[in-house]
Amino acid sequence: MGGPLGAIIGRYPTGGERGGQPGEGIIRHNRKCRDLVFLIIFIAFWVAMIVNSSLGFNKGNPLRLNYGLDYKGNICGDKHADPDLRELEVRYWMNPNQIYQSGVKDSQFKLADARSVCLMECPTPSEDGISWVCDYPEGDIKISTDDWIDRDYDYYEFLTPEMRNSSLQLQGPCYPVIFPSVNVFWSCQFIARASNVSLRHWQQMGGVEIEDNILIDRAIHKAINSHSAVLKRYVADIGKAWPVLIVCGAMLPLFLSIIWLLMIRHFVSAMTWITVGLFNSLIISVTMLFYMKAGWIGNDAISAVIGESDPYYTVTGRELNHMRAVAVLMTLVMIVAILSSIAIVRRILMATSVLKVAAKVIGEVQALIIFPTLPYVILVIFFMFWASAALHLFSSGQIIRNECNVNCCSYNLKSNRVNCDNCCGYSIHYTPHITVAILFHLFGCFWVTQFIIASSSTVIAGSVASYYWTRGEVSEIPFLPVFSSLKRFLRYSIGSVALGSLIVSIVESIRFILESIRRRLKFSDTVSESWMGRATSFSSQCCLGCIEWTIKSVNRNAYIMIAITGKGFFKASSIATGLIMNNILRIGKVNVIGDVILFLGKLCISLFCTVFAFLMLDNHKFKSAHNKVSSPLFPVLVCWALGYIVATLFFAVVEMAIDTIILSFCQDAEEHQGTAQYAPPLLMETLEDQGEMQRLTQGS
């Protein structure tokens, strides 16, 4: 353990014997900066984060996540395109035969090479003739884009005989609307059921044969529901649901966390029971909401159709399958949670006794309730920057023309002839460095979030330590102890916290990478299909989860010793680990149940945010064509994560108060032959009431 801590903490509470100023002796200030190398690394990392984000802001366009590309490489809905495509957000493939060819097995023709334009809404076949969708007006077609839209994209009557003949060959510039289509995620999903009236008129005009086959339906459906398309929509959902994220991921957890702290302060005996009961109610409610969105309860299943759809035609996609998978997972979590709650009922009284001590500290050092708002504001600003940069990074890439060796001839209005050269479509090309940039950005989220939480915990631990080592005498605590602790942290210990948060972030990143690899192997014919492969994957995830939990636990106690002693991270970890190992039986029962109650409290707040997120996403605003969220899954999960992070910031007040007092008590008792000298009276009374004093002092 490196010797007793009496020379560092608690020996001279008024500073008189060492000649210091009053109050400085509580936690001596003869410190120096620790782990400077990691502070420099953290600063350099932030510079790299800014440079990395600037790449996304320069190269990315979030419109790419939702809307497709037309035959010119323009993004639908882009006001900077040529022509101006604002409000023209729906991609429509004009040539049905090209769609059919892209769906034929082993065909070289890809849907990305089919001729497409951007429209306001999907066209419908005429009921008494034939309607047309014509190319963007240019060349000899002397009408504006607005007139083209007002005419329902039809200027067939202005075509020359040559243009009309080309159109009858399905080479443009006008194409017949033969099949009905619906707006599915901003792409016109064709329904393989041709309009008999339109098809008959087309045949009478001498048009080429049009393939009437289910492949027209399947080709577009396959493209819309590809893994990459679904992932892009999920990321875009986060951007579209930003009002939900602000309310349910930022404002609501802030309000609930403060209310919870105040109730712990004044109604500590009742709050443990309220927390357990509320947790069970909320997890059941969230599970039922997932069942509703999955379509297993009621008729509220998520729908892929955005525009008006055929009442006899439904579109299903991966979003619904993902929602059902999460519903099953939540069922298992609900069962385990309820059984665990029943198991700890008899231990709740012990948790209440420990929380009383923390409530006493909060009552004496009232700035502890207000302080978490500072890291909260910093975290909100960071998440706003990070989310914006993530959207741009994920949508960055170069739009390039495809290489195709197929017949894609079309009429060029500028040259007034059919052009068979350079008629392939466009695709967004993602280079490997973009993947690296996204992973780096994700790691930055892990590290910075852990750093802010750890910084807040360290400052709180320093404040609570001041309370303990003055025997709870407020008159001997420095004025505004929270800000005194913050000053010490910023001056001496910020590098140590950067190191501790980096270790946790590395473990979290390894878990994330392994989970991604496991999911990829799940869809391939690899060893993961065998029993041995599945067992290896599961055991590796469990081991990493246990390692992460252990590191977080050690780090939390290390932050306490950093706040008290001013030591570097590894030295503080050694001191904290020594205290825990020497007193494992002393602090185990007292601390574990209290941590469980606090964990349930965090889950209550995050689940509350989840319920409100579901309710907000049911608003018409997020179901309309322009703002439609493809699935509530990602916004809801993000609100849950943000709610949990915000709750962690505020609950650290109680959590660190308990851990700091218990570690300080163990050290105090160890230095004074088993009798703690500086423990506040309430702590002594609480432990005696629970029959724990004898076990704590004797180590039995």
Side-chain angles (χ1 to χ4, degrees), residues 451-700:
F451 175 80
I452 294 174
I453 294 175
S455 300
S456 178
S457 299
T458 304
V459 173
I460 292 170
S463 306
V464 176
S466 298
Y467 172 85
Y468 180 90
W469 293 101
T470 54
R471 298 184 175 90
E473 295 294 333
V474 180
S475 60
E476 296 185 7
I477 301 176
F479 179 69
L480 293 178
V482 174
F483 295 99
S484 298
S485 180
L486 176 62
K487 181 180 177 181
R488 292 194 299 271
F489 163 73
L490 293 175
R491 187 173 179 181
Y492 302 111
S493 306
I494 191 170
S496 300
V497 171
L499 171 57
S501 57
L502 174 62
I503 294 173
V504 175
S505 302
I506 291 174
V507 175
E508 286 183 342
S509 300
I510 293 174
R511 285 190 66 192
F512 175 80
I513 293 172
L514 289 180
E515 179 64 18
S516 300
I517 294 174
R518 185 188 68 82
R519 289 181 180 276
R520 287 181 178 272
L521 293 177
K522 184 178 179 180
F523 295 101
S524 60
D525 297 328
T526 61
V527 69
S528 64
E529 293 296 327
S530 65
W531 178 88
M532 183 68 70
R534 290 194 297 270
T536 302
S537 174
F538 179 77
S539 60
S540 64
Q541 287 293 317
C542 289
C543 289
L544 280 173
C546 293
I547 292 172
E548 181 183 358
W549 180 86
T550 303
I551 289 176
K552 284 184 176 181
S553 178
V554 172
N555 278 12
R556 189 172 66 185
N557 293 299
Y559 298 146
I560 295 173
M561 301 315 296
I562 288 172
I564 296 175
T565 67
K567 298 293 185 182
F569 176 79
F570 291 114
K571 181 64 175 178
S573 298
S574 175
I575 296 173
T577 303
L579 278 175
I580 293 172
M581 295 303 296
N582 291 341
N583 300 275
I584 188 67
L585 296 178
R586 303 178 182 181
I587 66 177
K589 276 187 178 180
V590 178
N591 204 16
V592 170
I593 301 300
D595 286 345
V596 170
I597 295 299
L598 291 172
F599 176 67
L600 293 182
K602 297 175 192 176
L603 289 180
C604 281
I605 290 178
S606 59
L607 289 173
F608 226 107
C609 297
T610 301
V611 172
F612 269 80
F614 267 119
L615 297 177
M616 284 191 68
L617 289 170
D618 268 340
N619 191 287
H620 176 72
K621 175 181 178 180
F622 301 107
K623 293 184 175 182
S624 59
H626 178 73
N627 294 312
K628 180 180 173 65
V629 172
S630 65
S631 169
L633 182 60
F634 258 42
V636 162
L637 291 179
V638 171
C639 287
W640 178 87
L642 292 177
Y644 187 85
I645 292 171
V646 173
T648 300
L649 277 178
F650 283 85
F651 279 43
V653 172
V654 179
E655 202 167 24
M656 296 304 289
I658 294 173
D659 290 347
T660 302
I661 286 177
I662 288 180
L663 275 181
S664 297
F665 179 89
C666 291
Q667 178 60 36
D668 192 7
E670 188 169 308
E671 289 190 11
H672 297 94
Q673 291 77 45
T675 303
Q677 298 294 317
Y678 292 92
L682 179 61
L683 177 64
M684 306 289 287
E685 295 172 6
T686 300
L687 293 176
E688 286 175 354
D689 289 343
Q690 293 301 320
E692 292 292 333
M693 176 55 72
Q694 184 178 358
R695 284 190 288 273
L696 282 168
T697 55
Q698 296 179 359
S700 59

Side-chain angles (χ1 to χ4, degrees), residues 17-18 21 89 118 135 172 177 216 218 236 256 258 366 407 457 491 528 565 578 598 603 642 685:
E17 282 187 53
R18 290 295 178 99
Q21 296 297 321
E89 300 170 341
C118 301
D135 203 346
V177 180
I216 294 176
R218 292 178 177 174
L256 294 176
I258 294 176
Q366 296 183 6
N407 179 17
S457 299
R491 187 173 179 181
S528 64
T565 67
L598 291 172
L603 289 180
L642 292 177
E685 295 172 6

Side-chain angles (χ1 to χ4, degrees), residues 37 117 133 144-145 207 246 250 283 286 295 321 330 344 425-426 444 450 488 502 512 541 586 589 666:
V37 173
V117 293
V133 170
S144 66
T145 303
I246 291 177
I283 198 168
V286 171
N321 294 332
M330 283 300 301
I344 68 170
Y426 287 82
Q450 288 295 332
R488 292 194 299 271
L502 174 62
F512 175 80
Q541 287 293 317
R586 303 178 182 181
K589 276 187 178 180
C666 291

